[in-house]
Amino acid sequence: MNQSYVWGLAQSGDQLWFGTAPNVHCLTTAKGLKLMKPVQNDDYVCEYGESQLRKAYPFLPAGGGDWRPPDVFVYDTRTGQLTDKGGDIDNASVMDRLRLNSTIGIRAAGSHQGVVLLGGPALGGINLFAFDSESGRYLGSTTLSRYGNIRNFVVADGALYAGVGVGLDGLGGGAVLRWTGTKDDPFRFGVVGELPGQVSDITSHQGRIALITWPSAGVDGRIPGVWLSPRLADGEPGLTPADADGWSRVWNVTQYEPDPVVAETYGLGGLASYGGYLYWGTMHVPLKATQAHTRRYEPARGKPDPVVVPNTQRTASIFRAGDFDVDCDGCEGKASVELLYGESKLPAFDPEANNGEGGWRLTPTGYTPKFGAAGFGDGYNNYIWKMVVVAGSLYVGTMDWSYLGRAAGGGIEAAFGAADASSYGADLWAFDNPNEPARPVDTTGLGNYLNYGIRTMVADESNIYLGMANPMNLRTDKQDDVPEGGWELIRLPLVASNPSAAGKGRPLPPGGDASEAATAGGK
């Protein structure tokens, strides 16, 4: 089927509330890479402008032809019952149904004071849906037309905050919203942060809110960075509208990436406070940097660059910072940042080299990786997608696009090597100590190599719950004995994350003991 990601996931007591997203691979290749020639293989089909949906609704752009409405679910971790809540929205009113049916996907979920909020980008603004987390009753929906994207919520010092993108597709900058609602009035927010880039992830860290950004359209927002709020304890409790312009950027990707065009294509993803440090990772849409470089330089050069693919592709890196000096003037770069997994040198293009023909040279990044190469040593780990701290360890989930890239050949193999079938599927790694490298919990998609990403995670005292990304919309025959396509929600008991229980780099057993990986959802 078309639902391919567990895109937003929140925990409320014994319940997991989550929303899905359809055909995200097709939507990403269309929107991000402008690739809209229909494709069909054994794993997926992307119809783009040739879809029946677009023929029925010609106002849809060709890149949106594979969009379908998302769904909303609640899973009871105690009873194992999965309940589809999308029908509650559909049946509430015509306007609620229209909002759900115009939502691209449920990208964010949060829970606080008995209310669950689920939201995502829509055809105009972001749509939000609210439920009573205790009774499961649907509370209503709204559209925030000023914003174009929402990815994550966080609860810090008794308040719920959300990071959003401003304007169409979130490209007009970013904002942090503080929820001030109730069950009777669930959609009240105050703006407590104004930023030049859209917010990708948000967490609490040492008495502040920390966040990371994705590129926005404005000059100041093109370069993703790490931002810290004013102290939550200063003035009134938590952040207020008076704090909106008091945020400080403490790091940005140009402090690592030597090529300015490639730097503008970075995203930042995965964010956590662990062991006194703030950890974050990078995200790289395959071939996006290649396209950006080609647009910038190829018209002037008049010919294609034969080595542009391997020189522009990047693998996900992980950084952390300890001390921050955010009370200074011009404080950017004052954080004590360490590169944990990454590269000491990267290719950078010099347009003036070779008498104006341009040329590439390996350029120092200014860092020496503390623990290893980017991607935990696997070049196809292109996203650090989500982090969660539980039971004294920091868990890191990746996107691994080796299965999709296995037939790419050419410049992709030159950049990353031939795709290795033994490593297909997303990775889950764990830092058990800030002073030691991460260990592999599983590097093959948690039992299904078609799971190319760990999109989101939450945890309780006994388990980690992983929402997987799997867009293989033609792999849905449950009568065969091969991995299936579609979203999965997986329960990983914490004992199974121990190397002696789960093994290194092996999928967990399908059930029956403490190393069980239980799929709670369907396709």
Side-chain angles (χ1 to χ4, degrees):
M1 291 178 64
N2 295 293
Q3 303 298 333
S4 56
Y5 283 22
V6 176
W7 223 15
L9 173 65
Q11 189 168 22
S12 179
D14 293 326
Q15 295 181 329
L16 302 177
W17 291 80
F18 63 98
T20 63
N23 294 332
V24 182
H25 174 63
C26 303
L27 299 178
T28 298
T29 55
K31 178 182 174 183
L33 300 177
K34 310 302 181 187
L35 301 177
M36 284 178 277
K37 181 179 179 181
V39 59
Q40 179 176 341
N41 53 43
D42 291 340
D43 297 307
Y44 63 88
V45 57
C46 294
E47 298 176 312
Y48 305 119
E50 299 300 316
S51 73
Q52 293 301 309
L53 181 69
R54 185 166 186 260
K55 291 177 181 177
Y57 301 99
F59 63 86
L60 282 174
D66 294 283
W67 165 78
R68 301 293 186 275
D71 209 342
V72 173
F73 297 90
V74 60
Y75 175 72
D76 192 308
T77 62
R78 185 173 42 85
T79 65
Q81 181 177 359
L82 179 72
T83 303
D84 188 331
K85 303 296 285 186
D88 293 13
I89 301 173
D90 268 342
N91 297 327
S93 74
V94 172
M95 182 56 69
D96 290 282
R97 184 182 309 116
L98 285 174
R99 284 198 178 104
L100 184 61
N101 289 341
S102 64
T103 303
I104 296 171
I106 303 297
R107 200 170 198 172
S111 175
H112 191 50
Q113 295 181 344
V115 175
V116 173
L117 295 170
L118 303 109
L123 300 182
I126 58 175
N127 288 337
L128 295 175
F129 307 89
F131 289 85
D132 183 326
S133 63
E134 297 165 334
S135 67
R137 178 172 60 94
Y138 177 58
L139 300 177
S141 66
T142 195
T143 300
L144 303 182
S145 58
R146 183 191 172 199
Y147 307 108
N149 219 331
I150 181 170
R151 286 184 172 89
N152 288 283
F153 289 87
V154 66
V155 175
D157 282 5
L160 178 69
Y161 300 90
V164 299
V166 176
L168 182 65
D169 294 331
L171 295 177
V176 178
L177 309 181
R178 178 176 176 172
W179 183 67
T180 58
T182 64
K183 288 184 182 180
D184 293 330
D185 186 7
F187 301 116
R188 284 194 286 114
F189 297 90
V191 178
V192 297
E194 297 276 9
L195 304 154
Q198 57 182 311
V199 180
S200 59
D201 208 345
I202 186 169
T203 193
S204 60
H205 177 69
Q206 297 181 338
R208 303 177 188 268
I209 299 293
L211 62 83
I212 49 181
T213 62
W214 265 58
S216 291
V219 173
D220 290 339
R222 287 179 183 169
I223 304 300
V226 180
W227 293 77
L228 289 181
S229 74
R231 292 192 180 278
L232 301 178
D234 290 349
E236 298 180 39
L239 299 179
T240 70
D243 297 308
D245 61 354
W247 292 68
S248 301
R249 187 167 68 174
V250 296
W251 185 85
N252 76 82
V253 301
T254 65
Q255 293 171 244
Y256 170 68
E257 172 57 57
D259 187 287
V261 175
V262 175
E264 291 184 4
T265 68
Y266 273 56
L268 295 181
L271 182 70
S273 178
Y274 174 67
Y277 296 92
L278 183 67
Y279 288 71
W280 67 90
T282 66
M283 302 174 71
H284 308 275
V285 176
L287 297 178
K288 184 175 182 180
T290 301
Q291 289 188 347
H293 176 91
T294 299
R295 286 195 302 269
R296 179 73 61 88
Y297 294 115
E298 203 167 277
R301 299 182 73 207
K303 59 183 179 181
D305 185 341
V307 294
V308 65
V309 174
N311 282 324
T312 53
Q313 295 309 291
R314 300 292 186 259
T315 300
S317 300
I318 296 180
F319 298 83
R320 74 180 179 195
D323 297 330
F324 293 96
D325 183 359
V326 297
D327 299 316
C328 63
D329 292 329
C331 56
E332 185 161 287
K334 298 297 183 181
S336 55
V337 176
E338 293 180 280
L339 175 64
L340 303 185
Y341 289 89
E343 306 300 331
S344 59
K345 293 182 179 181
L346 288 169
F349 186 73
D350 179 359
E352 303 302 322
N354 300 319
N355 296 318
E357 285 291 310
W360 295 91
R361 60 169 59 95
L362 278 176
T363 305
T365 63
Y367 293 88
T368 299
K370 183 177 180 67
F371 295 135
F376 299 107
D378 181 349
Y380 287 93
N381 273 324
N382 61 310
Y383 284 8
I384 301 298
W385 224 343
K386 197 63 180 175
M387 299 181 183
V388 67
V389 177
V390 60
S393 296
L394 168 63
Y395 289 82
V396 180
T398 78
M399 176 182 173
D400 179 331
W401 71 290
S402 56
Y403 185 77
L404 289 177
R406 67 194 186 282
I412 296 299
E413 286 194 357
F416 303 133
D420 182 358
S422 67
S423 67
Y424 291 162
D427 290 12
L428 180 65
W429 291 71
F431 292 93
D432 297 319
N433 186 305
N435 300 316
E436 297 178 359
R439 59 176 171 84
V441 177
D442 184 88
T443 60
T444 56
L446 276 297
N448 182 349
Y449 61 80
L450 298 179
N451 289 331
Y452 70 11
I454 298 172
R455 177 59 186 86
T456 188
M457 294 187 284
V458 298
D460 57 28
E461 65 275 7
S462 303
N463 305 282
I464 305 173
Y465 299 94
L466 306 101
M468 309 302 287
N470 180 337
M472 312 304 172
N473 55 16
L474 297 184
R475 293 284 290 270
T476 57
D477 183 359
K478 293 188 177 182
Q479 304 304 311
D480 60 29
D481 58 356
V482 299
E484 305 292 343
W487 65 265
E488 293 181 350
L489 178 64
I490 296 176
R491 180 180 67 246
L492 175 64
L494 286 174
V495 65
S497 73
N498 186 294
S500 63
K504 293 186 177 181
R506 298 200 305 271
L508 300 174
D513 61 15
S515 60
E516 173 186 26
T519 300
K523 310 296 185 260

